[in-house]
Structure formats: C-alpha cells, structure tokens
Amino acid sequence: MADEPLPASYTYLRSGNTAVITGASSGIGKAASVMCAARGMNVWMVDVDKEELPAAREVVLKAAANGDSQKIEAVIADVSNLAAMEGLSDRVFADGGKCHFLFNNAGIMGGGGALTPMDAVQRVVGINTYGPIHGCLAFVPKMKESGEVGLIVNTGSKQGITCPPSNWTYNMSKAALKAYTEGLEHELRTERLESGGKLRAALLVPGWVNTEIMAKKVRDAAKAAGDDYNKDKVFFHEDKPASGAWMSPQVVDFMLEELDKERFYILCPDNDVNREVDNLRMDWAMHDLIENRPPLSRWHPDYKDKFNEYLEANKGKK
C-alpha cells in the first residue's frame, strides 16, 4: 500500500524548516512555537516581554523533537518598529538561513472609543496592524528570493469583522489587518498561478481564547501608574481560564486543520460560539450595508430584537 500523502500544512511546518513567530512569550504564539518545535522546526520566538519570553523558550526547548540540533531562539524585538523587524530578518537569513512559516501574531488590547487620544491609537495600530505589515515587508521579499515554499499567517480578530461596540481602536486595527492580508494573499495567489510563486497567506481569526492579552494590559497599566499588579483580579487568563473560551493549543490545532484544507480564512469557534452563529452574525453585519440599516444595527435599539429573531429563525438552516 502506498504511503498516505502528508497533510498540506507539512509543506511548510516540517522538520528542518524554520518558523518566525511574534507574540511568542505566551498564548497562541507560545503554543504555535511549541507545535513547530515538536515538528522538528527551528523556531525564532519574538516578543517585547523580557519577563516572560525566556521562560517560554524553556518550554519550547523541552518540546523540540530533535533536541540540540534545532535552533530555538528568543529575540526581544518590537514589531511596531520596521527597523527592528528588518534587523531580525537579517539575522534569520544570515548564513543561508530560511523562513518557511512567518506567524505575525503579536497583538495588544487597548484604545477605546472614536475620540481615543492619538498616542493610544498609534500604539494599538502600530502593533496590531503595522506589526504584521512590518513582518511582511521584512521577510516576504527574502522568502521569495530563497525559492523555498512559505506560509504567512496574520492573526486577526472577529472584532475586525463584526466590530462590536466599545473598542473602536482595536476593531479598526484588526479590520485593517484583514484587508491587508486579503490583498497579500491575492497577490501571492496571482504569483502562484502566473509565475510559479511558492508563498501563500492565511488570516487566523481566533474566537474567545484564554491568553495573557488582558492580563498584560492590566499589568502594564498598573506599572505605568505605579500601582501593584494582582493577576488574580484579571477576569481571565491562561492560569484562570474562562469556561467559554478555548485554550491556545486548541486554536493552533484548529489552525492546522484548516491549513490542511488550504483555507485562507481560519475562523475559530470557541466554547460559547460555533461557526453557524459566527456566519449568521457576519451575514447580518453585511446586510447593514446592503439594506441601508444603521451601522452596527445588531446593537441598535430598533434592530437588536430583530437580530435575535433572525438568529433563532436561521439556526440549523444550512
């Protein structure tokens, strides 16, 4: 009997290949680093968190399939700084190095309403939007020049698709990243079809996940104010998981399943919301524009009951 073909993700995520993962000190980035190391890949873990990144590297080292023969590097770098990302790419590609998996995953909470001060807007957009763009500018040209196959995954958010009220800054940062990543894959797809290109892109859209993103926001705010930080008071995090949220390794496992199906949109469910409900929410949001309803009508007093009726009436139809 002939050997079964390997899943599509193994084209990029296999022993001897190299991964560059931002936001790698915790959460999804750390879980992805563990997965890559367990597959025998060299892993460059990138973060600004000087406190947590070294400990995360130790976890990844223990997961390495080939022990000392794998390179597991921890690099302190700010993704909002293009020069820092260019310097990182120079290091990765030095002496014949390659990059087969670029995971632009670093992200922060923060921001606020439509009149949020620009310094807060620039910080959130600088990391959540410009960070992945900087990663692509620094790495994708060299990935193309290497002639190797390559995968770029950018971490978006459902908040960048349905844009729920309250944190417009975060929503905007992730909506812009969605548009950028769609354009990136369109260009890469054209190159694959017309000139033998070997790169592809995907957009990871997590649901509710027990990561450290909220805890780090509270920690940094406490540090800036000179206050004590008590992690136990944070609503949820990796060590205090909310029952409705997935754990980070579940997100990575789901990402692999969708990559094996060669999906671009990797829209994750969680323990509270399944794909059917996500689809209905997205469908309703698009029909705000089609039907000239008020924006974000799902939360509008004249429409929120109609949305709930629509949701219940359409569950199970597809």
Side-chain angles (χ1 to χ4, degrees), residues 166-201:
S166 72
N167 195 337
W168 309 130
T169 309
Y170 182 83
N171 295 356
M172 176 180 66
S173 72
K174 293 298 187 176
L177 180 59
K178 171 181 173 289
Y180 174 82
T181 310
E182 289 169 336
L184 173 66
E185 169 55 14
H186 178 81
E187 293 181 359
L188 296 177
R189 182 181 68 218
T190 300
E191 292 176 4
R192 293 195 302 272
L193 293 173
E194 297 181 357
S195 57
K198 295 183 179 180
L199 305 186
R200 68 173 59 242

Side-chain angles (χ1 to χ4, degrees), residues 189-258:
R189 182 181 68 218
T190 300
E191 292 176 4
R192 293 195 302 272
L193 293 173
E194 297 181 357
S195 57
K198 295 183 179 180
L199 305 186
R200 68 173 59 242
L203 180 69
L204 175 65
V205 185
W208 186 12
V209 187
N210 288 305
T211 70
E212 297 296 284
I213 191 168
M214 185 62 69
K216 289 186 177 185
K217 175 187 175 184
V218 174
R219 181 196 67 187
D220 293 347
K223 185 182 293 186
D227 297 332
D228 292 334
Y229 167 59
N230 185 346
K231 190 175 181 180
D232 290 337
K233 292 184 178 180
V234 179
F235 172 39
F236 71 95
H237 48 76
E238 290 178 333
D239 300 322
K240 183 184 173 183
S243 61
W246 270 12
M247 300 303 291
S248 294
Q250 289 177 276
V251 175
V252 173
D253 288 344
F254 185 82
M255 177 178 74
L256 294 176
E257 292 173 8
E258 296 297 280

Side-chain angles (χ1 to χ4, degrees), residues 32-144:
S33 298
V34 168
M35 176 274 293
C36 289
R39 289 193 174 201
M41 298 181 69
N42 303 307
V43 184
W44 291 75
M45 304 173 63
V46 185
D47 210 295
V48 293
D49 196 321
K50 297 178 181 179
E51 298 174 18
E52 295 194 8
L53 186 58
R57 179 177 180 267
E58 292 302 313
V59 173
V60 175
L61 279 169
K62 292 177 182 178
N66 301 322
D68 293 340
S69 66
Q70 287 175 244
K71 178 178 285 188
I72 310 294
E73 298 282 352
V75 180
I76 300 296
D78 182 355
V79 299
S80 70
N81 184 321
L82 176 57
M85 294 304 291
E86 290 174 334
L88 173 64
S89 72
D90 288 342
R91 290 181 60 185
V92 172
F93 281 89
D95 300 322
K98 312 288 185 186
C99 177
H100 304 88
F101 177 39
L102 174 63
F103 189 15
N104 292 308
N105 170 72
I108 61 168
M109 296 295 292
L115 300 182
T116 297
M118 276 307 297
D119 58 345
V121 173
Q122 289 169 342
R123 173 166 167 73
V124 173
V125 172
I127 294 172
N128 293 356
T129 312
Y130 293 159
I133 295 174
H134 291 162
C136 291
L137 291 174
F139 279 88
V140 171
K142 293 177 181 177
M143 292 170 73
K144 290 182 180 181

Side-chain angles (χ1 to χ4, degrees), residues 20-22 28-29 32 101-105 151 153-155 204 255:
V20 176
I21 300 172
T22 69
I28 296 169
F101 177 39
L102 174 63
F103 189 15
N104 292 308
N105 170 72
L151 171 68
V153 175
N154 293 337
T155 299
L204 175 65
M255 177 178 74

Side-chain angles (χ1 to χ4, degrees), residues 157-163 171 174-175 178 203 205 267 282 285:
S157 170
K158 293 178 185 179
Q159 288 183 232
I161 300 173
T162 56
C163 299
N171 295 356
K174 293 298 187 176
K178 171 181 173 289
L203 180 69
V205 185
L267 186 66
M282 291 186 292

